[in-house]
Amino acid sequence: MSRPEDTLPPDLFYNDSESRKYTTSSRIQHIQTQMTHRALELLSLRHPSLILDVGCGSGLSGEILSSSAPTTPSGPHTWVGLDISASMLAVALEKEVEGDLFLADAGQGVPFRPGTFDAAISISAVQWLCNAESSEESPAGRLGRFFNGLYASLRRGGRAVCQFYPKNEEQKRMVSNAAVRAGFGAGLLEDDPGTKSAKTYLVLTVGGGELDGDITGVVKGMEGVDVVDGRRRAKDKAKRGEERKGSKAWIMRKKEQMEKKGKVVKASSKYTGRRRKIAF
Amino acid sequence: MKILTLNFLTCARKACKATNAAFPLHPRDAELEIVETDLNPLFIRNILPRIEWDALREICVELGLPTLPDAAPEPAALFAEPIVPADTMQDADEGAEKQPTQLLQDLHRLLLETTIATGKLVCGNCGHEYAVKEGIANFLLPSHLV
Ligand SMILES: [Zn+2]
């Protein structure tokens, strides 16, 4: 099966007949329902909340958020949905979903004031942000605008769960790094890894507030969770400062490492790491 | 679009994000519609502290809705003390459920049931108009405005 996001932008791909197909396919409905419940479980909401649904489509996830059934924890919730496909939104309108719908491109940002939402959810949408349809846009720019906007629009202590279909490891890294750069604590959760039904969830937390903002509090103890901690890596890099490869500091550190491994290293002197003049 | 949502919405343009004039967006030629929905007292209690009351008052004036009081209501005013008749005291747990006040019901009517069906939302900073049709607002920006 070809990846739809490789052939057309979502507003063109999800035309009227594709939207209807997507919404009425019981297999897709079942998977979407399952993933929404998983995302809700990861959000661990404590009271009826205001939730942003990014790429809400025809409102399949939204119907679960609005439900007062016990399968929707702490519900019913109130939601606002963004989608770039007018025909998907038309199907949502026909179904009279309870959430407010916006025709909007999340790659252009999130037009809500700071601290609006308790939580955000996104099912099978973020990979679309990795396409840039014109020369004025880059995937990195679109991802940056989305995650910066999302971060600002969430309350302190808020959470977001984005299930997406990364094309490859590189795209997975690009997406999670963009989230970390925006300020989120981020973890990747993989359900059924290595199988045809593998699902990737990017679990994001905003520090502060009543909830444990640290990502390890959310994903700790869950199997197959990788904490994406780009901030720590950046700090380490900063600590090493101007330690360029080949500089004295770099050589001293390498020597120390080798010594620790039990290797014999040359004694250091004031000449260590100095550039030698080339003798003809 | 619910009045609640309008109380959180800002202009999408990057240049407007930092300015005070980009919030709230001002409805123009708006047609309102009441869409009834179930009362969700705990949601209203959760969201009330996040409402920008002055902006809400302003929008109510612009839409010709009844004038709101000057200050936001206290969360304590949303619920009345439980009505527990003397002979059901043994069912204290059930009876202890607090009753939504008229205020809570009025807020529900205004924030969650009063919606903008059609019209425009105008940014007070850049003047950009966002169209609303069948309750759906179009926030797609031409690329030179992103
Ligand atoms: Zn503006």
Side-chain angles (χ1 to χ4, degrees):
Chain A
M1 193 179 76
S2 74
R3 294 169 57 85
E5 57 273 27
D6 286 344
T7 53
L8 283 171
D11 47 335
L12 297 179
F13 180 77
Y14 291 115
N15 56 23
D16 291 352
S17 65
E18 280 296 332
S19 298
R20 218 160 289 274
K21 216 169 24 177
Y22 189 90
T23 313
T24 52
S25 152
S26 67
R27 190 183 66 90
I28 286 169
Q29 266 185 31
H30 175 73
I31 297 171
Q32 183 100 5
T33 302
Q34 218 176 23
M35 294 192 295
T36 304
H37 284 298
R38 184 72 160 123
L40 268 172
E41 185 191 331
L42 292 165
L43 288 175
S44 52
L45 300 165
R46 295 182 182 179
H47 29 60
S49 298
L50 185 61
I51 302 178
L52 178 68
D53 184 351
V54 179
C56 63
S58 59
L60 291 172
S61 300
E63 285 173 307
I64 294 168
L65 300 179
S66 304
S67 163
S68 42
T71 43
T72 297
S74 301
H77 305 289
T78 302
W79 57 276
V80 170
L82 311 182
D83 206 284
I84 196 173
S85 162
S87 32
M88 277 288 198
L89 293 175
V91 179
L93 202 64
E94 251 173 61
K95 291 197 294 180
E96 298 187 342
V97 295
E98 302 228 9
D100 273 341
L101 305 169
F102 285 79
L103 181 62
D105 177 0
Q108 296 187 334
V110 180
F112 293 89
R113 60 179 169 84
T116 293
F117 299 103
D118 294 286
I121 185 175
S122 177
I123 304 296
S124 313
V126 171
Q127 70 272 8
W128 289 103
L129 292 175
C130 297
N131 313 20
E133 285 102 42
S134 73
S135 55
E136 293 152 70
E137 298 185 294
S138 69
R142 292 170 56 72
L143 284 169
R145 270 194 300 276
F146 166 57
F147 283 115
N148 285 327
L150 182 66
Y151 184 83
S153 75
L154 287 168
R155 303 179 71 186
R156 302 309 92 185
R159 284 176 189 175
V161 175
C162 305
Q163 176 276 328
F164 69 113
Y165 291 113
K167 190 179 184 175
N168 47 38
E169 284 301 311
E170 191 200 336
Q171 198 177 73
K172 202 191 282 180
R173 248 195 318 275
M174 180 164 79
V175 168
S176 30
N177 287 348
V180 170
R181 259 197 300 279
F184 282 110
L188 279 169
L189 176 73
E190 303 243 3
D191 282 348
D192 311 318
T195 71
K196 247 173 76 183
S197 55
K199 315 263 178 347
T200 305
Y201 297 84
L202 182 62
V203 186
L204 303 172
T205 56
V206 180
E210 64 194 64
L211 291 172
D212 183 1
D214 183 1
I215 186 65
T216 53
V218 186
V219 290
K220 197 161 45 190
M222 289 182 173
E223 260 175 64
V225 179
D226 280 329
V227 174
V228 185
D229 203 344
R231 284 176 300 180
R232 198 171 56 216
R233 232 173 303 151
K235 213 167 65 194
D236 284 352
K237 222 180 272 167
K239 202 169 59 195
R240 292 217 286 270
E242 307 86 341
E243 193 186 284
R244 286 187 333 274
K245 191 173 177 184
S247 70
K248 181 159 184 175
W250 181 81
I251 292 173
M252 296 303 277
R253 193 168 52 80
K254 285 285 164 196
K255 282 187 159 189
E256 207 178 299
Q257 282 171 3
M258 297 306 246
E259 229 160 357
K260 272 193 196 139
K261 284 185 190 162
K263 300 218 167 117
V264 180
V265 297
K266 272 192 185 168
S268 301
S269 74
K270 63 176 180 180
Y271 300 108
T272 303
R274 279 209 196 162
R275 207 160 280 209
R276 280 151 221 253
K277 280 200 187 114
I278 300 164
F280 292 96
Chain B
M1 179 194 297
K2 300 175 182 68
I3 299 300
L4 173 84
T5 307
L6 188 55
N7 196 259
F8 290 102
L9 196 59
T10 65
C11 182
R13 293 181 65 178
K14 205 183 166 201
C16 290
K17 273 255 154 167
T19 66
N20 288 330
F23 174 85
L25 297 175
H26 304 283
R28 193 174 292 165
D29 308 326
E31 259 176 54
L32 298 183
E33 189 185 346
I34 297 288
V35 180
E36 290 191 346
T37 174
D38 292 340
L39 187 68
N40 190 344
L42 293 179
F43 175 73
I44 293 190
R45 188 178 68 183
N46 174 21
I47 205 73
L48 182 61
R50 251 177 285 171
I51 297 290
E52 284 282 351
W53 193 258
D54 290 345
L56 185 63
R57 291 190 73 218
E58 196 181 330
I59 292 301
C60 284
V61 171
E62 289 178 19
L63 290 173
L65 295 166
T67 311
L68 296 178
D70 288 348
E74 291 297 320
L78 297 176
F79 298 92
E81 281 312 305
I83 310 150
V84 188
D87 59 335
T88 59
M89 279 306 275
Q90 64 268 36
D91 292 330
D93 277 353
E94 267 174 54
E97 198 147 302
K98 293 196 169 181
Q99 297 299 310
T101 58
Q102 186 60 47
L103 171 75
L104 190 148
Q105 289 175 38
D106 291 347
L107 283 171
H108 172 74
R109 189 68 161 181
L110 172 63
L111 294 171
L112 290 141
E113 294 190 327
T114 309
T115 68
I116 297 179
T118 55
K120 288 170 201 146
L121 301 173
V122 185
C123 172
N125 189 55
C126 71
H128 190 79
E129 295 182 348
Y130 298 94
V132 183
K133 285 176 194 159
E134 297 190 83
I136 302 179
N138 182 350
F139 268 64
L140 287 176
L141 288 175
S143 58
H144 68 279
L145 294 184
V146 174

